[in-house]
Amino acid sequence: MAEARLIDGKAFASGLRERVGKGVAALKAETGVTPGLATVLVGDDPASQVYVRSKGKMAAELGMASFDHRLSAGTTEEELLTLVARLNADPLVNGILVQLPLPKQIETPRVLLAVNPDKDVDGFHPINVGRLGSIAPGARLDFPVPCTPLGCSMLLADALGSLAGLHAVVVGRSNLVGRPVAQLLLRANCTVTIAHSRTRDLAAVCRSADILVVAIGKPGFVRGDWIKPGAAVIDVGINRVPTAEGKTRLVGDVAFAEALPIAAHLTPVPGGVGPMTVACLMYNTLQAARRKAGLPFVAV
Ligand code: GUN
């Protein structure tokens, strides 16, 4: 069988960012409004620092205002809620991103609930979770949708066109990725199975998938013989593993070299889903600013 076509998330994300940048310029010209994104990082986790920095940098590159808030690892829930309330009330802020995970003294659901749903560019507020969970097939996504799942669905639509009637298996049931991906695939008229660590005969379930989305955070967990020949495989995993030379490298949740000759479409790691997350955050921030300005939703 021919090798899989790699799904080039890096290139797609670059195009999306360019379209968002044009959308930002058009909004400014039309209304004088500059979209603003506030990022909040609690603590000093190095990976989170890298992510938050890239989000602020990207916002600035696309002509948005970026407000970077760093709080110490010992921050109390009350202190964080005070900052969120201030950002909710700030007219220059259209999007609020509280980087997860939060330190254990803070109850994450309380913080997510405190973010104004209109500024919830992560799509994690229960109102937005509920909107996604009750959306009609094919209905417009005119509310914030979690960034990584949105990126996965954009890549699939680009690679396959219509997803209607396909069997999609999502491995992983997290609130960040698995569940919202499943909702987006259902909206796209897939038949959706959510599999997880307790699923019986996971390999056989995966082998029944026309679309396989893997988001479990286990390097190389999905093997080549778990994949149906001709399937589209979206690998959401970003795992840092040691190399023989004593360095580290990034690998996904799918055994890439094994999957390559079997799948028809496959996302690489890095360069697949990863770059889509920040690009979709920019997209959500632009849409939030447009909604605030009373302008209709535009697909970019
Ligand atoms: N941590 C890992 N992924 C994400 C994300 O998409 N949003 C936020 N806020 N935190 C994260």
Side-chain angles (χ1 to χ4, degrees):
M1 180 167 238
E3 271 206 349
R5 259 195 60 212
L6 288 186
I7 295 178
D8 190 346
K10 199 172 160 200
F12 191 96
S14 162
L16 177 59
R17 287 195 306 267
E18 199 181 311
R19 296 194 295 280
V20 170
K22 285 188 180 144
V24 170
L27 179 65
K28 279 189 199 171
E30 207 174 326
T31 65
V33 168
T34 299
L37 173 67
T39 57
V40 180
L41 174 60
V42 185
D44 37 30
D45 176 64
S48 291
Q49 282 177 345
V50 171
Y51 289 137
V52 167
R53 202 176 310 125
S54 77
K55 288 164 183 173
K57 194 167 149 251
M58 185 69 59
E61 276 172 26
L62 300 189
M64 301 188 190
S66 134
F67 309 95
D68 191 13
H69 295 270
R70 305 287 170 108
L71 304 177
S72 69
T75 299
T76 65
E77 187 175 298
E78 204 185 332
E79 286 165 337
L80 178 55
L81 290 174
T82 301
L83 172 59
V84 169
R86 193 149 63 75
L87 298 173
N88 281 342
D90 186 338
L92 298 180
V93 172
N94 299 111
I96 301 170
L97 178 132
V98 180
Q99 185 67 26
L100 303 180
L102 290 166
K104 51 185 178 308
Q105 72 274 18
I106 297 174
E107 278 195 49
T108 302
R110 282 204 197 157
V111 177
L112 301 181
L113 189 61
V115 173
N116 178 341
D118 296 332
K119 298 191 178 189
D120 171 36
V121 283
D122 259 328
F124 293 162
H125 189 286
I127 286 203
N128 291 320
V129 175
R131 285 174 170 151
L132 185 59
S134 55
I135 194 167
R140 267 194 337 207
L141 294 169
D142 53 1
F143 54 88
V145 173
C147 303
T148 303
L150 183 59
C152 293
S153 75
M154 286 181 182
L155 292 180
L156 279 168
D158 186 56
L160 300 181
S162 169
L163 312 185
L166 298 179
H167 183 207
V169 173
V170 179
V171 187
R173 54 179 151 177
S174 71
N175 292 335
L176 257 69
V177 183
R179 288 172 201 237
V181 162
Q183 297 292 3
L184 287 170
L185 292 168
L186 201 51
R187 169 186 170 271
N189 296 304
C190 291
T191 303
V192 180
T193 300
I194 303 179
H196 47 78
S197 55
R198 305 288 289 270
T199 295
R200 227 181 280 164
D201 202 352
L202 182 57
V205 173
C206 290
R207 258 193 306 274
S208 71
D210 304 307
I211 294 171
L212 183 61
V213 181
V214 189
I216 46 173
K218 293 184 183 167
F221 185 76
V222 169
R223 308 303 302 258
D225 64 355
W226 296 25
I227 295 168
K228 184 197 237 183
V233 179
I234 304 291
D235 187 350
V236 187
I238 301 179
N239 309 287
R240 194 166 281 286
V241 296
T243 64
E245 300 85 47
K247 295 186 178 160
T248 64
R249 69 189 179 104
L250 293 180
V251 299
D253 292 345
V254 176
F256 182 79
E258 293 179 12
L260 201 54
I262 299 169
H265 302 272
L266 176 62
T267 57
V269 176
V273 174
M276 291 300 292
T277 300
V278 185
C280 287
L281 175 67
M282 301 301 124
Y283 172 87
N284 279 344
T285 306
L286 170 63
Q287 298 293 3
R290 285 183 61 88
R291 273 193 299 274
K292 165 99 181 305
L295 294 172
F297 171 83
V298 278
V300 302

